[in-house]
Amino acid sequence: MNTIQKMIVKEITVNNKKHTLVLSGEELLLDVIRKKVHLTGTKSGCRKNQCGICSVILNGKVVRSCTVRMNRVPDNSTVITIEGIGTPENLHPIQLAWIKHGAAQCGICSPGFIVSSYALLQQNLNPSREEVREWFRVNRNICRCTGYKPLVDAVGCRCRSARSNGCV
């Protein structure tokens, strides 16, 4: 049986750039970001809402884009991806802290963790180590390489950096 997918027009802003997209409402936000907006920093992992590799900020909230269908994304939504946090020429302090603390390891989970950390720091400029770990747990950010210490250290470094003009 042939099924015809209903196409919709969706207006979204990704990293401060407006996009008018014609797409199926069943398409996933992850695929739209990667294939229609052509930003490939957001990675695909489990595609089951479990690992956090695909994390983006949608209307101020961290979401795992691998399970967010476009028909559930409100018109005029705002999305922030890893490409919207710093640039290769001017890294964001959380990205610099990631490098300093060796938090990248293999790197596949780094975009999701950095986006998630960025969202945490928008809400809490001085989270405790326990709050950072809990944030990662609640947002399902998983890393199989680091043991989490360098990740938590990087967020803590960023917090100190905001207060003292340097990662101490």
Side-chain angles (χ1 to χ4, degrees):
M1 173 181 248
N2 246 349
T3 59
I4 299 174
Q5 292 185 352
K6 182 180 177 193
M7 301 304 280
I8 60 174
V9 176
K10 187 69 66 170
E11 292 189 13
I12 61 173
T13 300
V14 181
N15 302 333
N16 295 317
K17 185 177 177 190
K18 289 188 179 266
H19 297 271
T20 301
L21 304 166
V22 178
L23 42 75
S24 163
E26 294 300 308
E27 284 185 70
L28 298 171
L29 179 57
L30 171 66
D31 296 330
V32 170
I33 291 167
R34 290 181 60 81
K35 296 176 182 172
K36 297 202 188 260
V37 181
H38 306 289
L39 296 173
T40 58
T42 303
K43 303 302 180 199
S44 177
C46 68
R47 288 193 171 257
K48 294 182 180 172
N49 204 29
Q50 297 297 312
C51 70
I53 287 173
C54 64
S55 293
V56 299
I57 301 169
L58 174 62
N59 297 326
K61 183 178 180 211
V62 177
V63 299
R64 287 164 301 283
S65 62
C66 70
T67 57
V68 176
R69 299 216 180 270
M70 289 305 294
N71 58 10
R72 309 281 290 175
V73 175
D75 260 337
N76 300 309
S77 287
T78 300
V79 178
I80 301 173
T81 70
I82 188 66
E83 291 92 345
I85 301 172
T87 66
E89 300 80 25
N90 186 23
L91 295 175
H92 186 276
I94 191 66
Q95 293 167 314
L96 292 170
W98 226 253
I99 294 165
K100 176 180 167 82
H101 288 279
Q105 299 292 310
C106 82
I108 189 70
C109 67
S110 293
F113 267 103
I114 291 170
V115 167
S116 185
S117 298
Y118 178 84
L120 168 62
L121 294 170
Q122 298 297 302
Q123 296 178 20
N124 181 353
L125 276 177
N126 192 23
S128 68
R129 293 183 72 79
E130 294 76 26
E131 288 171 320
V132 174
R133 286 181 178 275
E134 179 64 8
W135 180 267
F136 290 156
R137 186 191 67 74
V138 167
N139 287 289
R140 296 186 182 161
N141 294 109
I142 296 172
C143 176
R144 298 184 189 269
C145 299
T146 65
Y148 297 92
K149 183 184 181 311
L151 308 173
V152 176
D153 289 346
V155 177
C157 172
R158 170 57 188 106
C159 296
R160 290 187 302 278
S161 165
R163 293 190 302 271
S164 67
N165 285 332
C167 196
V168 291

